Amino acid sequence: MTGIKTTGEKKLMLFSGRAHPELAEEVAHKLGVGLVPTKAFDFANGEIYVRFQESARGADCFLIQSHTAPINKWIMEQLIMLDALKRASARSITVIVPFYGYARQDKKHKGREPISARLVADLMKTAGADRILTVDLHTDQIQGFFDGPVDHLFALPILADYVGAKVDRTKLTVVSPDAGRVRVADRWCDRLDAPLAIVHKRRDKDVPNQVSVHEVVGNVEGRVCVLVDDMIDTGGTICAAADALFAHGAEDVIVTATHGVLSGPAADRLKNSKVSEFVFTDTLPTPGELELDKITVLSIAPTIARAVREVFEDGSVTSLFEEQG
């Protein structure tokens, strides 16, 4: 006989960066594991130091880090942690990115522009990631940027079930804020058995973040409209779309989005909007100044935890959404 046989079992280890520790703790709780103790700090010049306090040799490692502000710092920290796990002889490394940074830069609109979403995927692969697990990418094609498995999770079941349980479905209309989100809005319509409307918008090409809303396609008069989007950043687009719906006779408007980026003037825009409720998931931490009565944050942790368990046990992540149909 040659060689050595082992009888060891698979071991799951969950690691977290410093960007959104509350979400990491909740995912750990749902999995019934503890986060691996990690020493992490910044040097005086801004360099990041990371060291894990437990051995990761031979373990299936899951590293969670959401790309919140300051986004470049947390992406760099995640890359450093990936490198540390690779050099610690981890058996496999799955990087969990609830919000994938640079996802809006997924193609070239003009000459001499980067495709930054592809760059982020390349960096993760080079740093040591074997697999990416993420939630509601800005566009599905980003899955193809990573040379390895990508598990693309959806917040639609969580958001749609919340909205469906609190409004009169006979008065409900699902609204896409632009033509690019129609496919997602269609899935909402199927789940809630509601009609679809579309807000037609046009951006001023010479003024960044400036949107002119022209018309609403579909009947919204006297209806409770649910505007669905993947992310809300400065809030300009979604608030303008809501104003257009009210101008066309909507009785009420609820806004839902997976990722509440909420940067710049978003706080004032959401506070001053006639929208009755903004519903997000906690893929990103909500800024303290936006703790308003009209903002509801739903937990994405159960979805992430179930997906992690399926990956670890060689199950099917797709089945999580097929059964919720």
Side-chain angles (χ1 to χ4, degrees):
M1 175 181 173
T2 59
I4 299 174
K5 292 184 179 181
T6 64
T7 57
E9 296 182 350
K10 292 174 64 177
K11 181 181 181 182
L12 184 155
M13 299 183 75
L14 183 63
F15 302 79
S16 173
R18 295 175 290 167
H20 193 0
E22 296 84 5
L23 177 59
E25 289 283 359
E26 190 173 355
V27 171
H29 176 71
K30 294 294 182 183
L31 283 170
V33 302
L35 289 171
V36 174
T38 303
K39 183 179 181 181
F41 60 84
D42 300 341
F43 287 107
N45 67 347
E47 291 180 4
I48 297 169
Y49 173 86
V50 171
R51 182 177 184 270
F52 305 120
Q53 308 285 53
E54 294 181 7
S55 172
R57 184 179 298 276
D60 290 308
C61 299
F62 293 81
L63 169 59
I64 185 168
Q65 178 90 303
S66 201
H67 299 165
T68 185
I71 189 168
N72 298 321
K73 174 179 179 178
W74 300 132
I75 290 176
M76 191 65 199
E77 180 176 271
Q78 191 167 41
L79 295 173
I80 291 171
M81 296 179 81
L82 279 168
D83 187 71
L85 286 173
K86 179 176 67 175
R87 297 177 190 280
S89 301
R91 177 177 178 270
S92 69
I93 307 173
T94 298
V95 59
I96 305 171
V97 192
F99 175 72
Y100 186 101
Y102 290 92
R104 284 174 286 187
Q105 298 183 40
D106 61 321
K107 57 183 174 291
K108 291 178 66 172
H109 297 276
K110 301 177 182 177
R112 301 179 299 281
E113 285 185 343
I115 303 180
S116 304
R118 170 61 191 264
L119 175 61
V120 171
D122 288 344
L123 289 169
M124 288 185 181
K125 185 66 176 180
T126 301
D130 299 303
R131 187 184 200 106
I132 290 180
L133 193 155
T134 187
V135 183
D136 280 335
L137 290 167
H138 189 60
T139 54
D140 291 341
Q141 71 207 40
I142 296 173
Q143 296 174 77
F145 292 170
F146 183 76
D147 186 17
V150 176
D151 294 306
H152 190 197
L153 309 182
F154 303 100
L156 187 153
I158 298 170
L159 295 168
D161 290 353
Y162 172 83
V163 172
K166 70 174 302 180
V167 302
D168 181 355
R169 294 198 186 189
T170 63
K171 300 178 68 175
L172 188 65
T173 294
V174 177
V175 184
S176 172
D178 56 52
R181 311 312 304 176
V182 170
R183 186 178 175 187
V184 174
D186 264 337
R187 293 202 289 264
W188 275 74
C189 292
D190 292 341
R191 192 173 185 92
L192 296 177
D193 192 24
L196 173 68
I198 304 169
V199 176
H200 174 68
K201 69 175 184 180
R202 182 168 304 193
R203 292 185 180 274
D204 187 334
K205 64 180 180 180
D206 297 319
V207 183
N209 297 321
Q210 186 67 43
V211 176
S212 299
V213 176
H214 286 268
E215 59 181 316
V216 175
V217 181
N219 178 32
V220 299
E221 187 172 356
R223 308 286 291 178
V224 176
C225 296
V226 181
L227 270 165
V228 299
D229 212 343
D230 66 317
M231 72 172 74
I232 296 178
D233 190 354
T234 61
T237 299
I238 209 74
C239 288
D243 289 342
L245 294 174
F246 281 117
H248 283 74
E251 178 182 307
D252 190 16
V253 176
I254 298 171
V255 170
T256 72
T258 304
H259 311 296
V261 182
L262 307 177
S263 53
D268 289 335
R269 286 173 174 168
L270 268 60
K271 288 176 184 177
N272 298 325
S273 171
K274 293 194 292 182
V275 172
S276 64
E277 186 175 12
F278 292 88
V279 186
F280 306 112
T281 71
D282 59 352
T283 57
L284 292 166
T286 302
E289 66 270 18
L290 274 166
E291 293 180 357
L292 309 174
D293 290 340
K294 65 164 64 176
I295 291 181
T296 300
V297 180
L298 306 178
S299 176
I300 197 70
T303 300
I304 293 176
R306 289 183 65 194
V308 167
R309 191 170 293 281
E310 290 293 338
V311 170
F312 178 65
E313 296 176 351
D314 298 322
S316 171
V317 175
T318 303
S319 66
L320 300 183
F321 302 101
E322 288 178 343
E323 66 189 41
Q324 294 173 323

